[in-house]
Every structure is written in C-alpha cells, then in structure tokens.
Amino acid sequence: MPPQPRPYAGPAQHMNSSTKRRIDDIVSRLNQISNDLAELAIDAIQDAIHNGESKRPALERSLTRSRVAVEKAARELHGGQAVEMVDEGP
C-alpha cells in the first residue's frame, strides 16, 4: 500500500501571537493585491471590448494568473485553508 499523505498541519501550529498578527497582516495585503489584480483584469477586458478586439487580452490572462498565484500564497499562509477575499471597496 502506498504511503498516505500526512494532513497539512499549517504554519499556525507553533507560532506566537506576534508572528500570527504579522502573518495576518501579510494575508490582508495579499487580499488587497488580489482585488487590485482582479480590477486591472476587468479593465483590460473592458479596454479590449472598447477597442473591438474579439480575443481575450494577453494582459488579462497575465493578471489573472498573477491573481491566482497571490490567492495561493494567502491560502498557504492560512495553513492551506481558503482565505475569504473581501473587496473592501471605496
């Protein structure tokens, strides 16, 4: 029988409150970056439509891949669990 993967313990298992607060701050900033990237991707699509383009813009693809990577980093810092991405808006 092949070895079973160990459950992901996450980085929060052995961390003091100061470290936890710092990580929470980074996750918050990553969430904001994710929201900013999403807004830029929408802008890129709107610009492409405005310019009569019929294909998905390369810039939007790049922004979306970057947003996914940022969200993955936020999840990793939260112990592999989903992180709620909240758009705090204006």
Side-chain angles (χ1 to χ4, degrees):
M1 180 164 145
Q4 296 298 313
R6 291 186 338 209
Y8 184 77
Q13 291 291 327
H14 305 287
M15 112 178 37
N16 65 43
S17 61
S18 173
T19 301
K20 172 104 174 74
R21 279 192 303 274
R22 291 173 62 198
I23 288 175
D24 287 346
D25 179 58
I26 291 169
V27 169
S28 177
R29 287 185 283 158
L30 289 171
N31 288 342
Q32 184 56 53
I33 291 168
S34 174
N35 289 335
D36 292 345
L37 289 168
E39 289 175 12
L40 286 169
I42 291 169
D43 290 347
I45 291 171
Q46 289 173 338
D47 288 346
I49 291 169
H50 179 75
N51 293 330
E53 297 175 25
S54 60
K55 293 185 177 182
R56 184 176 169 202
L59 175 59
E60 183 274 336
R61 287 192 304 271
S62 177
L63 290 165
T64 298
R65 282 192 307 270
S66 298
R67 180 185 53 79
V68 168
V70 167
E71 290 173 357
K72 182 177 179 181
R75 272 193 314 275
E76 181 65 26
L77 288 173
H78 254 242
Q81 298 177 5
V83 177
E84 184 178 347
M85 299 293 179
V86 178
D87 184 2
E88 296 176 3

